[in-house]
């Protein structure tokens, strides 16, 4: 796409844009979970046009091969969020198929075949035990109806038979075999902790019969979050721990956990999904790693012997995953001018070779807003600092008509330990190219800024996150760069609660959008899946103290205070935040005479994967704001029905 040579005058919000909702849906291919197998590179790619199916791709030389044609869907449902859905070992692929939860195997030159039988179990985070010709996996068994599933570490032989290796903890992750196959390391944790609050790293010998010997606690505990255990080529166990207040790298040597590089930076991330990797080993034992400093990713080589950290020049400011193998590093990264892409870095020359791009047809630079990283005062007395990325409106075809300042969209991310990044996203540029400013907020509780910042949300969900979004909008309005009368907020999941609380308990925002957002904290407890069933004990308070706070902070109990127009989007198959949470809020707003719209999507769960869903929701949200702000033109067809809209026929 190229920019026009004759800019036209148009009001903010009504700028003609080449970035349509269909462009957003078609242009962004989700990329995840890169793996190296010798010189071959593997990764997962989402197919929005195929109902959100995820397929496995292999790059071998100049050949790109789809390993899992439709209807195969490489996705795990362990913890509901999945991850760690496949493993490649010497050309053989093992993967979890979403439809039946079975593990399939693809041997070289053969078609995929099931390794396990359909049943009540789900599998994730595979490790290969070559000496015993088996997989070691995290298994989640849903056999007992009405009860929480049982999580274990399990060995699966080539014939599909299963043997439990470790049980008794509520959760398991990251089974990792030593290079000689003699020892197994893994992570576990128990309710009410989430894995970024406290995990335990265990180590046990593997006995001759394949069972585990007596396990030793190596690191971690209730207040120490350990993640990504890995073995070096020499058989030294490494991990990432936040015992210093930052997720730093450590190794086990002489029965001690030794720091490798003490730094106010994050070498790890919250365990929402399995098998996320932020470091790996060269054949000589040196570490290729990525870490986050002040919200921006860096790439470096670390020598474990002297702790020397040598930067590796690269174009990325977000590095989501990293894998090392075959003399190269596979990096999933992006920047303000680069959408998420998969690159192979030759470690000898540091030369990148892009293997896959999430967006292949990128609009011209003149339509793309480059964000500014901002820090501003927040909290009751401005005693805290909050971080965000500010995107100004940008469209080379348009000159603002001079009528005021642009509307501002504040985005509250989900998680709530998630992290807003500055990687180029068409979903953001959809708004900025139409004359909206966007503020993507890393509120207190976000990852990437150390444990203290993450713990700022402890007991304060619905307070600190909301304060930081409100303060960000006020900060920009005070600077005179946005219109204080056209401030909107949107969020999904946990960010939906932030959005609803901001609109219910504050008067800054004029409208908002909730994507499968939480409105009822007690209902979230009642309906939640096992992984998050105790999360509110950290975010709000343990019972019985939480009862009063649930009433106080749940927007569903204060619908009479919610007088701002809202639009709700809800997947009907959502098991994390069930539809009833949105439906109760919509009914209350309808009854109160507040403008409200509600769009449900069949076949969608917690997060929308289908191209049609992405198009419908974006077009409806834009239409909603334009109608609320009186910017639509006469005769414009309705995209979504808005109840209680003044002046509507």
């Amino acid at each position: 796409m190229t920019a026009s040579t004759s800019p036209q005058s148009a009001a903010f919000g009504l700028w003609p844009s080449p970035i349509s909702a269909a462009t957003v849906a078609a242009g962004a291919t989700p990329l995840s979970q890169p793996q190296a197998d010798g010189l071959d590179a593997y990764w997962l790619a989402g197919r929005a046009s195929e109902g959100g199916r995820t397929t496995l791709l292999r790059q071998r030389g100049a050949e790109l091969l789809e390993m899992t044609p439709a209807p195969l869907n490489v996705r795990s449902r362990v913890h509901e969020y999945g991850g760690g859905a496949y493993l490649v070992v010497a050309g053989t692929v093992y993967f979890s198929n979403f439809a039946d939860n079975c593990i399939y195997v693809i041997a070289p030159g053969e078609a995929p075949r099931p390794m396990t039988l359909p049943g009540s179990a789900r599998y994730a985070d595979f490790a290969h035990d070559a000496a015993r010709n088996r997989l070691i996996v995290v298994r989640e068994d849903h056999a007992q109806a009405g009860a929480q599933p049982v999580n274990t570490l399990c060995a699966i032989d080539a014939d599909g038979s299963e043997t439990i290796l470790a049980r008794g903890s509520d959760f398991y992750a990251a089974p990792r075999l030593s290079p000689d196959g003699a020892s197994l390391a893994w992570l576990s944790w128990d309710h009410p902790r989430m894995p970024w609050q406290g995990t335990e790293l265990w180590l046990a010998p593997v006995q001759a019969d394949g069972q585990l010997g007596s396990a030793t606690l190596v690191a971690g505990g209730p207040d120490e979050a350990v993640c990504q255990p890995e073995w070096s080529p020499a058989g030294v166990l490494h991990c990432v721990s936040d015992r210093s207040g930052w997720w730093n790298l450590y190794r086990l040597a002489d029965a001690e956990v030794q720091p490798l590089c003490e730094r106010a930076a994050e070498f790890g991330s919250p365990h929402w999904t399995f098998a996320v990797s932020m470091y790996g080993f060269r054949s000589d034992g040196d570490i290729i790693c990525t870490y986050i400093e002040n919200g921006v990713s860096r790439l470096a080589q670390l020598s474990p012997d002297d702790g020397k950290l040598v930067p590796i020049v690269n174009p990325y400011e977000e590095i989501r995953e990293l894998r090392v193998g075959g003399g190269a590093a596979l990096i999933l990264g992006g920047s303000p001018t680069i959408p998420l892409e998969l690159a192979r870095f030759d470690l000898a020359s540091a030369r990148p070779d892009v293997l896959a791009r999430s967006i292949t047809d990128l609009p011209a630079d003149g339509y793309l807003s480059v964000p500014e990283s901002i820090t501003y005062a927040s909290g009751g007395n401005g005693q805290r600092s909050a971080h965000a990325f500010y995107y100004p409106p940008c469209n080379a075809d348009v000159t603002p008509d001079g009528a005021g300042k642009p509307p501002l969209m504040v985005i509250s991310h989900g998680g709530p330990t998630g992290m807003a990044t500055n990687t180029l996203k068409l979903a953001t540029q959809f708004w900025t190219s139409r004359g909206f400013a966007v503020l993507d907020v890393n509120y207190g509780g976000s990852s990437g800024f150390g444990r203290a910042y993450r713990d700022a949300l402890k007991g304060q969900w619905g307070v600190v996150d909301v304060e930081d979004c409100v303060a960000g909008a006020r900060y920009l309005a005070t600077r005179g760069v946005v219109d204080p009368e056209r401030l909107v907020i949107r969020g999904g999941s946990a960010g939906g609660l932030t959005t609803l609380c901001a609109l219910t308990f504050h008067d800054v925002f004029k409208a908002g959008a909730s994507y499968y957002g939480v409105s009822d904290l007690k209902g979230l407890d009642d309906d939640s899946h096992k992984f998050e069933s105790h999360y509110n004990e950290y975010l709000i308070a343990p019972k019985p103290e939480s009862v009063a706070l649930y009433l106080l902070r749940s927007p569903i109990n204060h619908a009479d205070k919610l007088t701002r127009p809202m639009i709700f989007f809800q997947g009907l198959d959502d098991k994390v935040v069930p539809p009833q949470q949105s439906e109760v809020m919509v009914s209350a707003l309808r009854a109160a005479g507040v403008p409200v719209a509600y769009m449900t999507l069949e076949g969608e769960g917690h997060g929308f994967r289908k191209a049609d869903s992405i198009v419908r929701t974006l077009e409806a949200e834009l239409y909603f704001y334009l109608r609320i702000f009186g910017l639509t033109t006469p005769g414009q067809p309705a995209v979504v029905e808005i109840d209680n809209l003044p002046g509507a026929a």
Side-chain angles (χ1 to χ4, degrees):
M1 303 177 187
T2 58
S4 168
T5 57
S6 302
Q8 59 181 292
S9 176
F12 288 110
L14 290 177
W15 294 1
S17 169
I19 307 174
S20 66
T23 302
V24 175
T29 299
L31 305 174
S32 62
Q33 299 182 52
Q35 287 190 30
D37 183 49
L39 298 177
D40 295 342
Y42 292 78
W43 67 92
L44 297 180
R47 297 283 176 83
S49 61
E50 299 179 33
R53 185 179 76 89
T54 300
T55 192
L56 177 64
L57 301 176
R58 184 192 72 193
Q59 182 82 44
R60 173 176 290 172
E63 178 194 37
L64 179 64
L65 177 66
E66 182 175 15
M67 303 293 292
T68 52
L72 294 171
N73 189 354
V74 185
R75 183 177 162 198
S76 169
R77 290 189 59 192
V78 179
H79 296 175
E80 297 300 334
Y81 295 104
Y86 81 99
L87 177 70
V88 185
V89 181
T92 297
V93 176
Y94 305 89
F95 70 94
S96 169
N97 185 46
F98 183 73
D100 55 15
N101 294 312
C102 291
I103 297 177
Y104 283 67
V105 60
I106 308 175
E110 297 182 10
R113 60 175 177 81
M115 181 176 175
T116 61
L117 296 175
S120 58
R122 305 172 182 177
Y123 309 93
D125 214 351
F126 310 150
H128 185 246
D129 187 351
R132 301 163 189 88
N133 192 26
R134 64 181 185 175
L135 293 180
I136 298 177
V137 305
V138 175
R139 185 177 76 171
E140 185 175 82
D141 194 353
H142 293 251
Q144 190 172 349
Q148 287 193 334
V150 176
N151 293 67
T152 57
L153 286 185
C154 178
I156 303 179
D157 291 330
D159 62 2
S161 59
E162 303 182 10
T163 303
I164 292 177
L165 300 179
R167 70 176 84 205
S169 293
D170 290 321
F171 301 98
Y172 291 89
R176 300 292 181 261
L177 267 174
S178 59
D180 61 6
S183 300
L184 182 73
W186 71 90
L187 298 173
S188 68
W189 65 97
D190 293 298
H191 286 315
R193 286 174 284 155
M194 298 298 284
W196 46 88
Q197 296 166 239
T199 57
E200 297 173 342
L201 175 59
W202 294 90
L203 182 62
V206 183
Q207 300 177 147
D209 62 359
Q211 291 285 353
L212 300 182
S214 180
T216 301
L217 178 64
V218 174
D223 300 308
E224 179 187 355
V226 180
C227 58
Q228 199 185 341
E230 302 283 359
W231 295 90
S232 73
V236 178
L237 181 61
H238 290 63
C239 68
V240 175
S241 167
D242 69 353
R243 59 175 57 190
S244 70
W246 296 86
W247 264 318
N248 283 182
L249 279 160
Y250 295 81
R251 69 179 175 189
L252 181 65
D254 300 324
E256 293 183 353
V257 179
Q258 301 175 348
L260 297 182
C261 181
E262 296 179 292
R263 194 179 184 96
E266 300 278 66
F267 290 75
S269 62
H271 177 100
W272 281 102
T273 59
F274 290 95
V276 172
S277 174
M278 291 181 66
Y279 74 95
F281 295 94
R282 298 185 59 150
S283 58
D284 60 6
D286 278 1
I287 297 171
I288 305 298
C289 58
T290 180
Y291 59 92
I292 302 168
E293 249 178 359
N294 299 319
V296 175
S297 293
R298 312 294 185 191
L299 182 66
Q301 180 168 310
L302 173 66
S303 171
D305 294 329
D306 58 16
K308 187 177 181 180
L309 193 67
V310 179
I312 298 176
V313 176
N314 71 97
Y316 305 119
E317 294 188 18
E318 178 198 9
I319 298 177
R320 194 170 294 182
E321 292 195 56
L322 176 154
R323 296 276 181 175
V324 181
L330 294 177
I331 293 174
L332 198 58
S335 80
T337 57
I338 302 174
L340 193 69
E341 63 185 25
L342 178 66
R344 180 188 177 105
F345 268 74
D346 184 278
L347 295 178
S349 64
R351 185 181 65 251
D353 178 21
V354 177
L355 303 182
R357 292 182 169 91
S358 61
I359 303 172
T360 55
D361 186 14
L362 203 61
D365 291 346
Y367 302 108
L368 301 177
S369 177
V370 176
E372 171 192 357
S373 179
I374 65 172
T375 300
Y376 53 89
S378 185
N381 299 311
Q383 74 275 23
R384 292 186 295 100
S385 291
H387 309 283
F389 293 108
Y390 169 64
Y391 295 79
C394 181
N395 189 319
D397 291 343
V398 180
T399 299
D401 66 0
K405 303 294 183 181
L408 172 70
M409 170 180 286
V410 172
I411 299 176
S412 54
H413 65 66
T417 57
M419 177 184 173
T421 68
N422 62 5
T423 289
L424 196 160
K425 306 173 191 69
L426 286 182
T428 302
Q429 305 297 332
F430 174 87
W431 299 101
T432 56
S433 63
R434 284 169 169 75
F436 283 76
V438 171
L439 186 70
D440 205 354
V441 181
N442 272 314
Y443 50 75
S446 302
S447 60
F449 300 90
R451 174 111 191 194
Y453 196 79
R454 203 164 69 242
D455 280 343
L457 210 61
K458 184 177 182 179
Q460 296 296 307
W461 190 26
V463 178
V464 163
D465 50 324
V466 176
E467 288 177 346
D468 291 355
C469 289
V470 168
R474 284 178 170 158
Y475 172 74
L476 292 176
T478 301
R479 286 176 56 185
V481 297
V482 299
D483 184 351
E485 296 304 315
R486 292 190 293 172
L487 306 177
V488 303
I489 183 170
R490 76 194 299 257
S493 190
L497 177 77
T498 305
T499 293
L500 286 163
C501 286
L503 290 161
T504 301
F505 304 122
H506 298 266
D507 60 359
V508 172
F509 296 103
K510 309 305 178 183
S514 170
Y515 282 73
Y516 38 87
V518 177
S519 63
D520 180 8
L521 292 168
K522 182 180 183 302
L524 186 66
D525 270 1
D526 293 342
D527 297 323
S528 184
H529 54 106
K530 179 183 177 181
F531 181 62
E532 292 184 88
S533 60
H534 291 261
Y535 194 12
N536 280 343
E537 294 184 31
Y538 170 85
L539 293 171
I540 308 294
K543 293 181 175 63
E545 296 93 330
S546 64
V547 176
L549 289 173
Y550 279 9
L551 292 172
L552 182 66
R553 295 190 200 167
S554 294
I556 203 168
N557 300 321
H558 305 275
D560 59 314
K561 298 179 182 178
L562 180 52
T563 59
R564 304 298 191 185
M566 283 207 66
I567 185 168
F568 293 79
F569 300 99
Q570 181 68 53
L572 295 179
D573 293 343
D574 196 335
K575 300 297 189 295
V576 179
V577 179
Q580 64 201 50
Q581 292 228 10
S582 293
E583 290 163 2
V584 172
M585 290 300 297
V586 170
S587 297
L589 292 175
R590 283 174 177 159
V594 178
V596 62
Y598 183 42
M599 178 177 285
T600 59
L601 297 114
E602 294 185 1
E604 292 284 16
H606 199 65
F608 303 152
R609 295 170 175 264
K610 299 178 182 178
D612 179 65
S613 301
I614 297 169
V615 171
R616 290 177 59 204
T617 54
L618 267 179
E619 290 181 344
E621 188 179 358
L622 173 63
Y623 174 81
F624 180 80
Y625 295 142
L626 295 181
R627 287 299 306 270
I628 294 302
F629 292 138
L631 294 175
T632 51
T633 56
Q636 180 176 351
V639 176
V640 65
E641 182 179 352
I642 306 174
D643 296 316
N644 303 323
L645 186 66

